Amino acid sequence: MKRIKIDRSKCIGCLTCVSACIVAHNSSDSKNRVILSSHMEFSPIFCRNCDLPECVYTCMSGAMRKDIETGYVTYDKNKCASCYMCIMACPYGTLKEDRITKKEIMKCDMCVGYGDTPQCVEKCPMFAITLEEV
């Protein structure tokens, strides 16, 4: 299984990963984000595709599920009840409400169907975001 790995010491907060996500998904919001930590360091926030994902266990509608083959946590907006239990359950704060529709969850989909590499990884100029086999 491949997972996104972040080297926070290389991140300069340029937001290229955020822009790449918006462009790749033809969206008005990104499925990832970059925050400034309490130590004044930039910190990209991405879905960790947990082995035991709390978002999946708390999803009452079945919109969130763990794909056995890829290991990715997937989201089906057509099944979503907009209860936001997944957002509240995520211990890493990676999920967020779509600020436009107010009914969908913004969740990294690893750019499945876009190519072999997520666009945030491909476009990061500092190589702070990489895709590694786990």
Side-chain angles (χ1 to χ4, degrees):
M1 179 177 136
K2 293 182 179 180
R3 290 193 188 199
I4 290 176
K5 182 178 178 191
I6 300 164
D7 183 344
R8 287 176 173 81
S9 68
K10 292 181 179 179
C11 181
I12 59 170
C14 67
L15 303 178
T16 301
C17 57
V18 172
S19 298
C21 182
I22 290 170
V23 171
H25 294 91
N26 194 24
S27 177
S28 58
D29 198 1
S30 71
K31 298 179 182 217
N32 58 14
R33 60 184 173 275
V34 177
I35 62 167
L36 191 58
S37 75
S38 59
H39 300 299
M40 301 305 286
E41 297 170 339
F42 293 106
S43 183
I45 306 292
F46 292 85
C47 178
R48 297 180 183 207
N49 291 296
C50 302
D51 291 329
L52 301 171
E54 292 296 324
C55 59
V56 171
Y57 300 133
T58 59
C59 181
M60 65 181 189
S61 66
M64 302 292 273
R65 69 183 241 343
K66 180 88 170 173
D67 185 309
I68 303 296
E69 289 182 31
T70 64
Y72 299 150
V73 174
T74 62
Y75 168 68
D76 182 347
K77 67 180 180 182
N78 296 318
K79 292 182 179 178
C80 185
S82 302
C83 68
Y84 303 131
M85 288 301 294
C86 56
I87 292 174
M88 292 183 278
C90 178
Y92 303 106
T94 62
L95 303 175
K96 61 183 181 177
E97 171 191 50
D98 183 324
R99 61 189 167 116
I100 304 300
T101 67
K102 304 280 189 207
K103 294 180 181 180
E104 296 174 20
I105 304 302
M106 298 300 286
K107 193 239 171 268
C108 176
D109 61 4
M110 299 292 285
C111 292
V112 171
Y114 201 91
D116 292 336
T117 307
Q119 292 302 290
C120 56
V121 173
E122 193 165 305
K123 304 293 185 199
C124 180
M126 302 307 293
F127 306 103
I129 307 166
T130 56
L131 189 64
E132 298 187 7
E133 189 73 36
V134 181

